Each structure stands twice: as C-alpha cells, then as structure tokens.
Amino acid sequence: MKDVDGNEYIDFNSGIAVLAVGHSHPRIVKAIKDQAEKLIHYSWTDFYYKPIIDLGEQLTKITPGSFAKKVFYCNSGAEAIEAAMKMVRWHTRKSLFLAYTGSFHGRTFGAMALTASKPVQRRHFFPLVSEVTHVPYPYCYRCPFGLTYPECNMWCVDFIEEEVLKKFHPAEDTAAMFVEPIQGEGGYVVPPDDYFQRLKKILDKYDILMVDDEIQSGMGRTGKWFAVEHWGVTPEIVTIAKALASGLPIGAAVAMADLMDWEVGSHANTFGGNPVACAAALQVIDVMREERLMENATRQGAYLMKRLKEMQQKYPLLGDVRGKGLMVGVEFVKDQETKEPASQEVQEVINKCFRRGLAIITCGKSTMRFAPPLIITHEIIDEGLEIFEGAVKEVAAQLR
Ligand SMILES: Cc1ncc(COP(=O)(O)O)c(C=O)c1O
C-alpha cells in the first residue's frame, strides 16, 4: 500500500481480514465495472437477479454440510449475526443464546449482546438484548479454569453441560450457541483439536443449533473455506462477511434450508446482496480456486508460524505463537512465567512497525494479529518480519 505522502507499507492486516485476494485484484475490479454498467441495485427482497442466485449456489456449495441450504443476504458481519439470531428464535421458538467470553460478533444491539471481548464495546449501551449466557472460550494459554490441556480432559466443554445447561440455562429454552472457530478480536485464540467435536455432541444431544461465525476466519483464511472444517464439524448456520466481496459491503447467513422457514416479511432489507457486491464475491470465489489461495494460505501460514516460533526463542516478550493458515496471533507478555499481558509493549511495536512500513494491528489484550492477504509470498513475509523483529528487539531491550 502507498499513503498520501508516498510511503509504502507491507500489509499484514488486509483491512481487518477483508482483502484475502489482495488489493484491487484486476478480475474483481473488472467484475465490479461490468456489473455496475448492467445493474447496480434492485431490491432482492422482491425481485431476483442473476448474480445473487449464482452466489447463493456457490455459497451453499462451499459451506460445510451436504444438506439443502438457503442464504440470507445483508451488508455486514453484524447484520449476518442479527439474521442468525432472529432466524433461530423464529424457527425454534426458543429464546436463549449461548456465546463465549472473549467473543466478537459485531456492534449492533443483538450482535453486541453476544460480543464479550472488551468492556468498551458495551459500556453505557445497556440494556442489551437479553438472554445471552457467556461461557469460557477454550483459551489454553490462559485457561479460565487454571487447568492444563490435555490433563484437564476439556472441562470447559463439560462445564457447559454440567454447570450451565443443567443448572440455570435450560436446554429446552436454548435456541443456539454462537461460536467463532478461532476467536478473532478476542486474541486469535485456537481451541484444542478435539474441542469442537465434543461441543457439537453436547449441542446435538440437547437440540441446540450451532451458529458458526466465520466472518473473520472464513473464505479461505485458515487454508480451508471455513475454519470449522479443520475439526470436521458441521454447523447448522454459517455467517460470512469481510473477505466475501474483497471490500465491497456484503454479508450472508447460510443455513440448513429447514431453518429458514420464516414467513415473508419476518426479516428483510433493501441493500443486502447488492448485484455489484455479488459479482465481486463470485470473482473472489473463482480467484481463490484458480490461484490456489487456500493452499498458499496453508503454506505461507506454516512458514510464518515457523519464523515466529524461532523469534519466540530469542524474545521472551513473545509469550505464545498460535494460528491456522494465515490467521496467526502472537501474544505479548512481560514475563513468560507470570504471563502478565504486555499491552503497552505490543502497542509500541505496532507504532514502530507502522513508521517503518508494516501495517499490522492487535487483538485481545496484547496479541499481534497477522492476517495478510492470502496472495502473500515468502519474500514479503520475510520483509515484513524483518521490520517486526527490529521493533520487537528494541521494545524488548527497554524491558530489561
Ligand atoms: C468474528 C466476527 N464476527 C462479526 C464481526 C462483525 O462484522 P462487521 O464489522 O462487518 O459488522 C466481526 C468483525 O470484526 C468479526 O470478526
């Protein structure tokens, strides 16, 4: 990227995980231009047009599950979450939701009630949409129960059944659980390998739907279309936005067809599934396939993790390195033993990186999030990491 003064930046952020296929990919730009010349808008609530149907066909194919599906279109991630919240209440006639501490699902009122990663996201906005219970996310580096994996036998899953569903949050009244397969804004936290399978069994046992929020982790970022596929779990609803149309606003909730049985007028909007955004999204899906960007995400992600783990050996400031594909987090700590979050230090590293030509942002309390476009190469990773390491070295030296 180049700024107004002509300074150049390596992009390790992708506009918050949006520019998966890179900036202004020529095929996306052409698709946008071509579609804009034909039809810019026509409310899909009342009339269909081809790009929205073609995209629906693609989305039902690439999301997990071979069952019949339906797609609801909107303009953002938060709106996709709102649609899922309303859909599960409408279909199940149950009102309660489960979500995670540390989660981020958006900032509209419904989504904000699920969101629980930072007080600032909710402060002074109460009362929220009620009936959400938050349970601890499987954050093994900082286990909320003070346990260690795998000796813990994943008490965090059993906790949901034993301490929540059986004690105060009746399963009969619980419509759905909202999950991020890798927690994004909460700190790029990756659950242990057998976690989601165990969780899904409990949800199935109690007839609770799983809404898989892939708004940040989806569309190939982790090396698969959707991150939940890493664990072989099939959710009933998948929410998508961010990278879907390479920067044009669009969101989608893809659901098992039976779940979207609401009556006409129950939920709708004016702009959702805009034809220009749909045309861009169709190209994104093609480019992902043709340029083999998921393979690249896996390959470059492994390289990035390897390099970061090597750095971790040199700098105790880097407490934990974790991720899947090109969704990688490095948690900064003041001390590897106490794991005290190094929030100020991570901010200093970010500022130094920015001044030296690397665009990167944080998440959680003190985690650096690496989410470059999926077209990235070894060489550009090396260039970016050189800037990153230089900044880490200087900030680490001040700590001593
Ligand atoms: C996992 C997740 N869900 C939902 C959202 C909300 O999306 P939007 O900002 O498009 O409303 C985000 C945004 O960062 C997200 O990361």
mmCIF file of all heavy atoms in Angstrom, residues 16 76-78 81 104-106 180 213 215-216 241-242, ligand 1:
data_model
loop_
_atom_site.group_PDB
_atom_site.id
_atom_site.type_symbol
_atom_site.label_atom_id
_atom_site.label_comp_id
_atom_site.label_asym_id
_atom_site.label_seq_id
_atom_site.Cartn_x
_atom_site.Cartn_y
_atom_site.Cartn_z
ATOM 1 N N ILE A 16 -8.533 -5.477 8.103
ATOM 2 C CA ILE A 16 -9.155 -6.416 9.053
ATOM 3 C C ILE A 16 -9.691 -7.661 8.324
ATOM 4 O O ILE A 16 -10.893 -7.941 8.295
ATOM 5 C CB ILE A 16 -10.246 -5.808 9.949
ATOM 6 C CG1 ILE A 16 -9.957 -4.351 10.321
ATOM 7 C CG2 ILE A 16 -10.410 -6.653 11.208
ATOM 8 C CD1 ILE A 16 -10.960 -3.745 11.304
ATOM 9 N N SER A 76 -23.189 -6.628 6.077
ATOM 10 C CA SER A 76 -22.050 -6.606 7.001
ATOM 11 C C SER A 76 -22.089 -7.859 7.868
ATOM 12 O O SER A 76 -23.089 -8.604 7.867
ATOM 13 C CB SER A 76 -22.130 -5.384 7.917
ATOM 14 O OG SER A 76 -23.257 -5.525 8.770
ATOM 15 N N GLY A 77 -21.023 -8.008 8.650
ATOM 16 C CA GLY A 77 -20.958 -9.147 9.556
ATOM 17 C C GLY A 77 -22.019 -9.067 10.647
ATOM 18 O O GLY A 77 -22.736 -10.037 10.909
ATOM 19 N N ALA A 78 -22.128 -7.904 11.266
ATOM 20 C CA ALA A 78 -23.089 -7.761 12.367
ATOM 21 C C ALA A 78 -24.500 -8.095 11.893
ATOM 22 O O ALA A 78 -25.274 -8.756 12.605
ATOM 23 C CB ALA A 78 -23.033 -6.347 12.923
ATOM 24 N N ILE A 81 -25.108 -11.747 11.707
ATOM 25 C CA ILE A 81 -25.341 -12.287 13.055
ATOM 26 C C ILE A 81 -26.776 -11.994 13.504
ATOM 27 O O ILE A 81 -27.470 -12.857 14.053
ATOM 28 C CB ILE A 81 -24.308 -11.692 14.049
ATOM 29 C CG1 ILE A 81 -22.889 -12.183 13.713
ATOM 30 C CG2 ILE A 81 -24.672 -12.004 15.499
ATOM 31 C CD1 ILE A 81 -22.622 -13.646 13.956
ATOM 32 N N PHE A 104 -16.338 -11.894 19.662
ATOM 33 C CA PHE A 104 -16.734 -10.666 18.968
ATOM 34 C C PHE A 104 -17.650 -11.055 17.815
ATOM 35 O O PHE A 104 -17.263 -11.807 16.926
ATOM 36 C CB PHE A 104 -15.522 -9.886 18.440
ATOM 37 C CG PHE A 104 -15.928 -8.549 17.886
ATOM 38 C CD1 PHE A 104 -16.009 -7.437 18.717
ATOM 39 C CD2 PHE A 104 -16.278 -8.405 16.550
ATOM 40 C CE1 PHE A 104 -16.432 -6.195 18.216
ATOM 41 C CE2 PHE A 104 -16.695 -7.172 16.046
ATOM 42 C CZ PHE A 104 -16.764 -6.066 16.875
ATOM 43 N N HIS A 105 -18.866 -10.525 17.841
ATOM 44 C CA HIS A 105 -19.819 -10.842 16.780
ATOM 45 C C HIS A 105 -20.389 -9.581 16.129
ATOM 46 O O HIS A 105 -21.290 -9.688 15.304
ATOM 47 C CB HIS A 105 -20.950 -11.704 17.334
ATOM 48 C CG HIS A 105 -20.493 -13.038 17.851
ATOM 49 N ND1 HIS A 105 -20.090 -14.067 17.021
ATOM 50 C CD2 HIS A 105 -20.344 -13.508 19.118
ATOM 51 C CE1 HIS A 105 -19.737 -15.124 17.748
ATOM 52 N NE2 HIS A 105 -19.872 -14.799 19.022
ATOM 53 N N GLY A 106 -19.923 -8.401 16.537
ATOM 54 C CA GLY A 106 -20.414 -7.177 15.922
ATOM 55 C C GLY A 106 -20.958 -6.214 16.956
ATOM 56 O O GLY A 106 -20.983 -6.511 18.154
ATOM 57 N N GLU A 180 -17.116 -18.698 17.448
ATOM 58 C CA GLU A 180 -16.058 -18.355 16.489
ATOM 59 C C GLU A 180 -15.099 -19.542 16.521
ATOM 60 O O GLU A 180 -14.563 -19.861 17.592
ATOM 61 C CB GLU A 180 -15.283 -17.117 16.945
ATOM 62 C CG GLU A 180 -15.963 -15.789 16.746
ATOM 63 C CD GLU A 180 -15.186 -14.672 17.447
ATOM 64 O OE1 GLU A 180 -15.398 -14.470 18.654
ATOM 65 O OE2 GLU A 180 -14.362 -14.030 16.801
ATOM 66 N N ASP A 213 -19.670 -18.519 13.390
ATOM 67 C CA ASP A 213 -19.331 -17.182 12.903
ATOM 68 C C ASP A 213 -17.968 -17.239 12.213
ATOM 69 O O ASP A 213 -16.923 -17.251 12.855
ATOM 70 C CB ASP A 213 -19.322 -16.197 14.076
ATOM 71 C CG ASP A 213 -19.009 -14.770 13.631
ATOM 72 O OD1 ASP A 213 -18.551 -14.592 12.479
ATOM 73 O OD2 ASP A 213 -19.212 -13.836 14.421
ATOM 74 N N ILE A 215 -17.014 -14.944 10.022
ATOM 75 C CA ILE A 215 -16.866 -13.619 9.418
ATOM 76 C C ILE A 215 -15.387 -13.234 9.289
ATOM 77 O O ILE A 215 -14.975 -12.685 8.277
ATOM 78 C CB ILE A 215 -17.710 -12.596 10.223
ATOM 79 C CG1 ILE A 215 -19.195 -12.886 9.960
ATOM 80 C CG2 ILE A 215 -17.345 -11.151 9.881
ATOM 81 C CD1 ILE A 215 -20.164 -12.290 10.945
ATOM 82 N N GLN A 216 -14.588 -13.577 10.292
ATOM 83 C CA GLN A 216 -13.154 -13.275 10.203
ATOM 84 C C GLN A 216 -12.337 -14.489 9.736
ATOM 85 O O GLN A 216 -11.385 -14.362 8.977
ATOM 86 C CB GLN A 216 -12.617 -12.791 11.561
ATOM 87 C CG GLN A 216 -11.179 -12.381 11.511
ATOM 88 C CD GLN A 216 -10.799 -11.258 12.461
ATOM 89 O OE1 GLN A 216 -9.667 -10.852 12.499
ATOM 90 N NE2 GLN A 216 -11.724 -10.728 13.227
ATOM 91 N N ALA A 241 -18.878 -12.631 5.984
ATOM 92 C CA ALA A 241 -18.845 -11.224 5.521
ATOM 93 C C ALA A 241 -17.412 -10.910 5.101
ATOM 94 O O ALA A 241 -16.850 -11.641 4.294
ATOM 95 C CB ALA A 241 -19.364 -10.270 6.609
ATOM 96 N N LYS A 242 -16.836 -9.864 5.673
ATOM 97 C CA LYS A 242 -15.445 -9.436 5.428
ATOM 98 C C LYS A 242 -14.877 -9.776 4.049
ATOM 99 O O LYS A 242 -15.066 -9.033 3.112
ATOM 100 C CB LYS A 242 -14.555 -10.008 6.535
ATOM 101 C CG LYS A 242 -14.725 -9.269 7.870
ATOM 102 C CD LYS A 242 -13.593 -9.590 8.801
ATOM 103 C CE LYS A 242 -13.764 -9.033 10.198
ATOM 104 N NZ LYS A 242 -13.469 -7.614 10.292
HETATM 105 C C1 LIG B 1 -15.958 -12.875 14.064
HETATM 106 C C2 LIG B 1 -16.638 -11.594 13.716
HETATM 107 N N1 LIG B 1 -17.975 -11.545 13.708
HETATM 108 C C3 LIG B 1 -18.640 -10.419 13.387
HETATM 109 C C4 LIG B 1 -17.965 -9.258 13.065
HETATM 110 C C5 LIG B 1 -18.721 -8.013 12.714
HETATM 111 O O1 LIG B 1 -18.587 -7.724 11.365
HETATM 112 P P1 LIG B 1 -18.855 -6.237 10.808
HETATM 113 O O2 LIG B 1 -17.758 -5.365 11.328
HETATM 114 O O3 LIG B 1 -18.841 -6.390 9.324
HETATM 115 O O4 LIG B 1 -20.191 -5.838 11.325
HETATM 116 C C6 LIG B 1 -16.567 -9.259 13.075
HETATM 117 C C7 LIG B 1 -15.806 -8.024 12.757
HETATM 118 O O5 LIG B 1 -14.656 -7.857 13.074
HETATM 119 C C8 LIG B 1 -15.885 -10.457 13.409
HETATM 120 O O6 LIG B 1 -14.552 -10.511 13.445
#
